[in-house]
Amino acid sequence: MNGVQPHSVKPVLLVLSSFRDIVAGHEISGFYLPELTHPLHVLESAGIRTTFASVKGGKPPVYGIEDDAINQHYWQDVGFQQRLNNTLPLAAAKSEDYSAVLFVGGHGTMWDFPDDAVLKYLTRQMYESGKPVAAVCHGPAALINVKLRNGQYLVKAKRVAAFTDTEEMEVGMANVVPFMLEAALKARGARHQPADNWQCNVVIDGLLITRQNPQSASAVGEALCHALLAATLAF
């Protein structure tokens, strides 16, 4: 990390959905594997430690186990599987133990991220203590109900990216998800900044780092590395 000792950076908390059975028999459940493995690869390549957490802890449901070199590198790794089978319950995570948080995407997030009280409190704590808060694809579902101490929604007037409503329609889930993510962010006052469907889109507004879709997964890891480097050098 350009002269910064990785051990001086606290781990990044990677948060996964625990929600399964979106539709009976539906293969899309829980978190989307490339949106964990791709940023993880970037962070680990920079020597930054990570902790896996999920809303309920233990082994979260996963989909997107496709023939992707980075995906397969991790999926075939015994250590990675052990970490995935034993994720930290989010209620056991303490904001002071981490340098940043990343909310990994996947359709399951639309059910268990928005209203989880622990998630909302942890996010507010980290954001208000000056730590980067990142989310990719459906991961910004974690942000829509987070309020700051002043009572304002965290995303109000913030520039953000997220899985777009047209992308949701294209994958055939618009009538399945409990709400449309882009529309929900706009309703909270966010300044949603989309790119064309399936294009990498990176939006950074201060400590808030958001990405639009799976094509943006590596970019969120890169942005977190830059943010942590800047914070370490400033300190």
Side-chain angles (χ1 to χ4, degrees), residues 110-128:
M110 299 286 281
W111 278 263
D112 64 354
F113 275 11
D115 296 315
D116 187 83
V118 171
L119 183 152
K120 290 188 287 185
Y121 180 69
L122 180 72
T123 304
R124 190 193 80 186
Q125 279 190 311
M126 297 194 74
Y127 184 82
E128 292 190 330

Side-chain angles (χ1 to χ4, degrees), residues 47-118:
I48 297 174
R49 295 167 294 156
T50 58
T51 297
F52 292 2
S54 61
V55 173
K56 294 182 178 179
K59 184 178 181 179
V62 56
Y63 66 104
I65 306 166
E66 54 201 25
D67 190 14
D68 166 305
I70 291 175
N71 244 14
Q72 290 305 310
H73 165 75
Y74 284 106
W75 192 250
Q76 302 301 325
D77 182 76
V78 173
F80 175 83
Q81 288 292 344
Q82 288 176 338
R83 295 180 70 190
L84 200 56
N85 290 340
N86 297 280
T87 65
L88 182 74
L90 197 56
K94 298 180 180 179
S95 62
E96 60 266 27
D97 292 338
Y98 304 101
S99 63
V101 61
L102 168 60
F103 294 105
V104 174
H107 275 94
T109 66
M110 299 286 281
W111 278 263
D112 64 354
F113 275 11
D115 296 315
D116 187 83
V118 171

Side-chain angles (χ1 to χ4, degrees), residues 7 13 18 21 33-34 43 54 66 98 125 139 180 185 196 227 231:
H7 61 74
L13 186 66
S18 294
D21 298 330
L33 185 63
L43 292 167
S54 61
E66 54 201 25
Y98 304 101
Q125 279 190 311
M180 297 294 274
L185 287 165
D196 290 340

Side-chain angles (χ1 to χ4, degrees), residues 22-23 28 106-108 110-111 138 163 165 168-169 171-181:
I22 291 172
V23 175
I28 294 178
H107 275 94
M110 299 286 281
W111 278 263
H138 286 89
F163 202 63
D165 290 355
E168 199 71 86
M169 294 173 191
V171 299
M173 291 290 286
N175 294 324
V176 177
V177 291
F179 59 91
M180 297 294 274
L181 183 53

